[in-house]
Amino acid sequence: AVDAFSGFGGLTQGIELAGFDVIMAANHNEYKVRVHEANHPNAEHWIADLVNREASDYHSARDLPTADLFTAGISCVNHSQANTQKAYEEGLTLFDLEDAEYEARVTRSERDRATAICVLQYAAQHHPRVMLIECTTEFASWGQLVPGKRKVGDGSTYRWWLKQLGLLGYNHKVLYLNSMFFGVGQSRDRGYWVFWDKKLPAPDLDHRPESWCEKCQTIVQAVWSWKTGVPPTGSVRYG
């Protein structure tokens, strides 16, 4: 497995507990890489900015080694579909585009966070058998900003992103999970996007956490469902 944007190594630890050997971990923050290296000494570590080509430690996601599993804890803001598509098709990052309107609308820090493109770049170059992408649930709203709502997009870029991965030969499933379901002492909602090669059978991703049923007055195996569906903001919370 290769873990991009590896942070302090929580996702890496989960991957290893699932039986994978993490051969590479990358992050642009030197301190986080040193902590990760102390916790996972068997992996190769890169202090690498996978987004900003102007950075002295820039590496394309294509430069990462080939692995069976690619994982990435991405973070995204609302970039336009046109700019994102152009950057991907031309092998660029959002730093390389010259767009006066775009420059007026977004900040440099927002470009830094356009990490979902790295997933496409890695998949196109290496085609791992499985990919696990983690982000806030709001990732589903990634797209052109909705007028009057500063942080809410229309989901157009997100849908384009999923389509590109389909064209690269992947099926996928989206999981909305809370850290409490796995014995963690905090409530944190996250989305997990699982992609697998279309030649492979669909993995069993069913997760039914133990929950209290008021009607039955007993513990049951819960099934996650939505009363109203996922809202346009992508913001979904346990409860």
Side-chain angles (χ1 to χ4, degrees):
V2 167
D3 188 3
F5 318 113
S6 53
F8 289 131
L11 188 55
T12 300
Q13 183 176 359
I15 297 164
E16 291 179 340
L17 289 172
F20 288 90
D21 294 322
V22 178
I23 62 172
M24 161 69 73
N27 195 283
H28 71 284
N29 184 291
E30 181 177 359
Y31 176 65
K32 291 183 178 180
V33 171
R34 297 306 177 206
V35 172
H36 193 286
E37 190 171 29
N39 289 322
H40 304 279
N42 293 327
E44 182 179 353
H45 287 80
W46 282 9
I47 302 171
D49 190 322
L50 301 177
V51 177
N52 181 7
R53 293 185 68 173
E54 299 174 2
S56 60
D57 57 356
Y58 171 75
H59 287 276
S60 168
R62 297 179 176 89
D63 298 333
L64 297 171
T66 302
D68 297 302
L69 170 66
F70 177 71
T71 68
I74 62 171
S75 56
C76 279
V77 293
N78 293 300
H79 301 292
S80 74
Q81 181 174 348
N83 278 321
T84 305
Q85 184 171 354
K86 180 180 178 182
Y88 170 60
E89 290 177 347
E90 297 183 9
L92 306 174
T93 75
L94 291 170
F95 278 92
D96 300 299
L97 296 177
E98 296 182 2
D99 185 330
E101 181 183 357
Y102 183 82
E103 295 287 351
R105 286 193 294 109
V106 302
T107 66
R108 184 185 182 89
S109 64
E110 287 176 328
R111 288 193 179 194
D112 279 335
R113 297 170 65 83
T115 51
I117 299 303
C118 297
V119 177
L120 295 179
Q121 293 171 339
Y122 187 90
Q125 179 70 28
H126 299 290
H127 199 84
R129 299 174 72 187
V130 182
M131 294 191 292
L132 171 62
I133 311 303
E134 179 267 343
C135 193
T136 60
T137 65
E138 286 81 4
F139 178 47
S141 74
W142 187 28
Q144 190 71 40
L145 289 175
V146 175
K149 296 185 178 181
R150 187 169 61 90
K151 294 185 178 181
V152 177
D154 61 9
S156 57
T157 314
Y158 168 70
R159 293 188 294 273
W160 169 83
W161 183 79
L162 288 177
K163 180 180 179 181
Q164 299 311 304
L165 287 163
L167 293 174
L168 288 171
Y170 289 96
N171 290 321
H172 78 277
K173 185 173 182 177
V174 184
L175 309 173
Y176 293 104
L177 302 171
N178 187 288
S179 57
M180 292 189 298
F181 298 167
F182 303 93
V184 179
Q186 65 176 188
S187 176
R188 179 169 292 186
D189 295 288
R190 285 292 183 273
Y192 297 87
W193 286 259
V194 183
F195 298 89
W196 61 93
D197 190 307
K198 290 181 178 179
K199 298 176 183 177
L200 299 175
D204 179 7
L205 300 172
D206 189 28
H207 178 66
R208 297 190 176 187
E210 289 189 346
S211 301
W212 177 256
C213 175
E214 187 66 27
K215 181 179 180 180
C216 306
Q217 289 293 298
T218 187
I219 296 292
V220 298
Q221 299 295 310
V223 177
W224 188 294
S225 64
W226 302 107
K227 293 181 179 178
T228 58
V230 178
T233 61
S235 180
V236 293
R237 297 293 178 263
Y238 176 61

